[in-house]
Amino acid sequence: MDSEQHRRYQTSMVSTYYPETSFLDSLVMQDGTEQSQGSDILTRLHSGEVFIVNSRRRNGLILFKRYHAEFAGPGAAVGGDYDCDCQRALPIGNLSLLTLESNEERQKAYKIRRQWIRLIKQITENPVPGQRVQKILDQFEQYFPPEIVALLPDVAFALLVGVLPQTVGIVRRLGNEVDSRFNY
C-alpha cells in the first residue's frame, strides 16, 4: 500500500511543474502551428467597438485575460470595455464577428455572453481538476468537431477551468481513466 501511495504522489508531483509562464507570447496549437490571426482580432477588440460572435455559425473566441480565459460563443458580445483587458484571442471555427445594430441587440448579446460565462462557471465549481477538464472537453466536442477541439492548446482549456496545462494533457491522453488512476 505504501508503494502504491508513493507512486501516486510521484506522478502528481511531476504534473505540477509548469516552466513556461509566458505562454501568451507564443500560443502554439496542438499541431505545432503558431496562432497568428488572434492579433488582428485583438486589435478589433481593443478598438472600443462591441461586436457579436455570429450566431449562425459554429464559431467562438477564447479570450485570454491576465489570470484566466473566457469563452465567447455564438451570439455573445465581445469587445468594448468588457474585453479591454484581453491579452490574446484564439478564434475557434470559422470566426465571424458582426457589428451590433441596436441597443436591443447589444443587450441580448451581453446576456448570451453571461450565459457562456455561467456555463464555464458551473464546470469550474467541480472540485476535482480532472473532472473539470473532462467536462470542458466534452462541452467543446459537443459543439465543435473533435478535430478542431484536438488542435486547441492545453493551456487554453487550463485557463478556462482553472487547472494546470499538464492536467489537461493527462486527461487528453488518458480520457475517463484519469479518475481511476488518480485520487485527487
Side-chain angles (χ1 to χ4, degrees):
M1 180 161 155
D2 286 337
S3 64
E4 184 179 63
Q5 279 187 331
H6 182 66
R7 227 178 319 131
R8 183 181 73 203
Y9 292 133
Q10 280 185 324
T11 304
S12 63
M13 286 176 65
V14 169
S15 69
T16 60
Y17 178 69
Y18 188 60
E20 179 59 51
T21 56
S22 61
F23 72 92
L24 290 177
D25 295 336
S26 59
L27 191 58
V28 178
M29 304 297 277
Q30 290 292 332
D31 64 356
T33 59
E34 193 162 328
Q35 189 268 338
S36 61
Q37 182 186 6
S39 61
D40 297 335
I41 296 167
L42 196 57
T43 302
R44 290 180 75 186
L45 294 177
H46 287 164
S47 71
E49 192 174 349
V50 178
F51 300 96
I52 184 171
V53 177
N54 191 340
S55 60
R56 296 175 192 238
R57 292 187 184 183
R58 288 190 178 252
N59 67 144
L61 270 175
I62 295 179
L63 303 163
F64 294 94
K65 307 291 180 111
R66 186 168 177 150
Y67 298 109
H68 72 287
E70 296 176 9
F71 177 69
V78 294
D81 292 337
Y82 201 70
D83 293 315
C84 63
D85 60 341
C86 186
Q87 297 179 348
R88 189 86 172 195
L90 178 63
I92 303 173
N94 187 10
L95 182 68
S96 171
L97 295 178
L98 308 172
T99 55
L100 295 164
E101 302 295 325
S102 67
N103 281 337
E104 292 80 25
E105 282 183 341
R106 184 183 296 246
Q107 287 177 341
K108 183 180 176 186
Y110 277 120
K111 285 180 184 177
I112 292 172
R113 173 78 180 262
R114 268 197 342 234
Q115 289 173 344
W116 285 109
I117 290 171
R118 284 186 183 138
L119 173 68
I120 303 296
K121 180 184 178 287
Q122 287 175 345
I123 294 170
T124 59
E125 287 174 344
N126 186 329
V128 182
Q131 290 176 3
R132 291 198 306 261
V133 172
Q134 189 61 57
K135 185 67 175 172
I136 193 73
L137 290 172
D138 291 345
Q139 288 290 324
F140 269 70
E141 286 176 354
Q142 283 180 9
Y143 198 73
F144 297 106
E147 54 274 5
I148 289 179
V149 177
L151 291 175
L152 296 175
D154 291 349
V155 71
F157 291 113
L159 287 170
L160 282 170
V161 295
V163 300
L164 294 169
Q166 293 85 344
T167 305
V168 177
I170 290 169
V171 172
R172 281 180 152 175
R173 280 191 309 277
L174 300 176
N176 291 328
E177 297 174 23
V178 169
D179 291 334
S180 63
R181 290 202 177 184
F182 300 105
N183 259 341
Y184 290 105

